[in-house]
Amino acid sequence: MTFEAERLHRQRLLSRRALLRSLLLAASLPAARLHAAPDPQAAIPLPLSYDLQRTDEPGKGTIILAGGCYWGMQAVYQHVKGVTNVTAGYTGGLKSTASYAKVTGDPSTGHAEAVLIEYDTAKLTLGDLLQIFFFVAHDPTQLNRQGPDVGPQYRSSIFTDVVEEKRVAVTYMNDIDAAKLLPHPIATKLRDRFPFYPAEGYQQNYVQNHPTQRYVLYNDRPKIARLKALFPALYREVPLRYEPEERKRRKLLPIPDATGKGEASS
């Protein structure tokens, strides 16, 4: 990490601490009170009638979701069964501005902190992921902010070019608002998919690598506890760890034999 990135990193944490005291009470409340629902399990509808169906055979699905600081978003989905990889990163702006220092320091980059979720379509549907998105991973009623993090880079958005995925997302948001399952209308925006740029290595697996950091304790760990309470069938006790694409590709490369020729790995 460069000196400037480290300075901005520390500045971000310090600005958050100024707001943490006002969030302590909210962070300690159970999920039902946070979402103003007396029965949180009953307040989470399964969009069975219009959700995409699970596939008979394993398949790879992807979705890009933005919901505030990507530390907590990544940590939540790393605990979901059927998710195969979660990458923290930036989307919505140019490659030249896709860095932690620029995105957190300049709200005009167009980027949102986001996560690229890869999942097995035989085990999860888009509806499963959106339930967690709206009721666990973040507060979708906040506009251009999420808790102590303020600015359009912390906006709530769903990025997809798939027409059927757009239909599911819009219908689900309309149903949640119509049933008044959240204390305020949903502020989440549906956007076409932009290029996604993975965040720096030290930003990946941040909650796992810094479990006792104050920001993580008050903002991210409660989300993981809420996931376990509301979705026990989907909860994975041991979380995934982010794996860079190049490392996954290396695993598939043939292993050279004694002659120097490639030999298929077992």
Side-chain angles (χ1 to χ4, degrees):
M1 189 189 309
T2 66
F3 174 79
E4 179 63 15
E6 175 67 19
R7 185 186 68 79
L8 288 169
H9 179 66
R10 292 179 180 275
Q11 185 181 59
R12 180 184 184 185
L13 292 178
L14 288 172
S15 64
R16 286 172 172 170
R17 288 169 186 168
L19 291 170
L20 279 176
R21 292 182 182 178
S22 63
L23 294 172
L24 293 182
L25 178 60
S28 65
L29 292 175
R33 291 186 64 186
L34 282 174
H35 291 297
D39 183 356
Q41 196 64 40
I44 303 174
L46 278 168
L48 294 176
S49 61
Y50 51 82
D51 193 8
L52 303 180
Q53 299 301 306
R54 296 183 184 181
T55 57
D56 294 330
E57 299 295 329
K60 180 180 176 180
T62 63
I63 190 71
I64 297 174
L65 301 176
C69 176
Y70 48 38
W71 297 344
M73 288 284 292
Q74 183 184 50
V76 166
Y77 285 102
Q78 285 177 326
H79 277 278
V80 176
K81 293 178 181 178
V83 170
T84 56
N85 199 31
V86 188
T87 307
Y90 316 100
T91 191
L94 300 175
K95 182 177 181 179
S96 60
T97 58
S99 70
Y100 182 81
K102 290 180 180 178
V103 172
T104 59
D106 182 2
S108 68
T109 64
H111 281 295
E113 289 196 11
V115 290
L116 171 61
I117 302 169
E118 302 170 46
Y119 63 99
D120 185 347
T121 56
K123 297 179 180 179
L124 290 171
T125 67
L126 177 63
D128 294 326
L129 298 173
L130 291 182
Q131 284 182 321
I132 294 169
F133 180 64
F134 288 121
F135 292 97
V136 174
H138 81 311
D139 180 355
T141 69
Q142 295 193 23
L143 180 64
N144 290 333
R145 68 172 299 160
Q146 200 63 211
D149 301 312
V150 180
Q153 61 269 55
Y154 304 109
R155 62 190 181 271
S156 175
S157 298
I158 300 169
F159 296 90
T160 179
D161 288 330
V162 181
V163 173
E164 287 301 297
E165 291 182 346
K166 291 181 178 181
R167 177 184 58 81
V168 171
V170 169
T171 308
Y172 192 31
M173 287 190 286
N174 288 341
D175 282 356
I176 293 172
D177 278 345
K180 297 183 178 180
L181 298 179
L182 297 172
H184 304 287
I186 289 176
T188 304
K189 304 299 182 184
L190 186 62
R191 295 287 184 256
D192 289 336
R193 193 156 175 164
F194 281 79
F196 179 87
Y197 305 102
E200 298 84 342
Y202 69 91
Q203 297 290 353
Q204 307 293 343
N205 306 310
Y206 196 92
V207 171
Q208 295 182 44
N209 294 339
H210 306 275
T212 60
Q213 187 188 86
R214 184 173 296 183
Y215 179 92
V216 169
L217 288 173
Y218 288 127
N219 292 280
D220 299 330
R221 298 302 303 180
K223 296 177 183 178
I224 297 172
R226 189 152 68 245
L227 174 69
K228 184 176 183 179
L230 296 184
F231 298 98
L234 292 178
Y235 182 76
R236 182 202 308 261
E237 191 68 42
V238 178
L240 292 170
R241 289 200 49 95
Y242 160 77
E243 188 171 17
E245 192 64 34
E246 58 269 21
R247 186 179 303 168
K248 289 190 289 184
R249 285 199 298 268
R250 281 201 299 269
K251 289 182 178 179
L252 301 177
L253 293 176
I255 301 174
D257 57 19
T259 65
K261 297 180 179 180
E263 184 179 90
S265 60
S266 59

